[in-house]
Amino acid sequence: MNITISIDCSPAEARDFFGLPDVKEMQGEVMAKVQEQMSSGLGKMETGDLLKLWMPNSLKGMDQLQEFFSKFTPKSSDND
């Protein structure tokens, strides 16, 4: 036996029903602080430093990734 219950309510109504707090204002403040810290930190760094941070050992990592995928892909024959 299957029973399906459909409830049509807004997220705010569901939050109130379950007794959960509304954290929208706090979330906005936290995200504003995070954005401010990230923006101030990025302004101090140079492009080369950012690339090293975001893609450490990028060429070495790309070679390793290519080797990894080549192990799982079938070898194509020249007769195809």
Side-chain angles (χ1 to χ4, degrees):
M1 175 185 346
N2 291 334
I3 298 174
T4 303
I5 299 173
S6 178
I7 300 173
D8 185 23
C9 68
S10 70
E13 291 170 333
R15 190 172 40 250
D16 288 341
F17 178 78
F18 288 110
L20 299 173
D22 185 8
V23 295
K24 190 173 188 177
E25 184 178 326
M26 182 182 66
Q27 182 182 18
E29 291 174 8
V30 169
M31 291 307 295
K33 287 182 181 180
V34 168
Q35 183 178 4
E36 179 183 325
Q37 288 179 351
M38 287 182 71
S39 297
S40 67
L42 289 177
K44 297 175 186 174
M45 298 183 85
E46 293 188 19
T47 307
D49 294 334
L50 287 175
L51 288 176
K52 287 179 186 176
L53 178 65
W54 291 337
M55 297 186 310
N57 301 324
S58 60
L59 295 177
K60 186 177 180 182
M62 294 301 279
D63 290 341
Q64 290 174 345
L65 185 64
Q66 187 176 9
E67 287 177 26
F68 174 77
F69 282 124
S70 68
K71 291 178 183 177
F72 296 105
T73 55
K75 303 281 187 215
S76 62
S77 64
D78 295 333
N79 297 336
D80 288 343

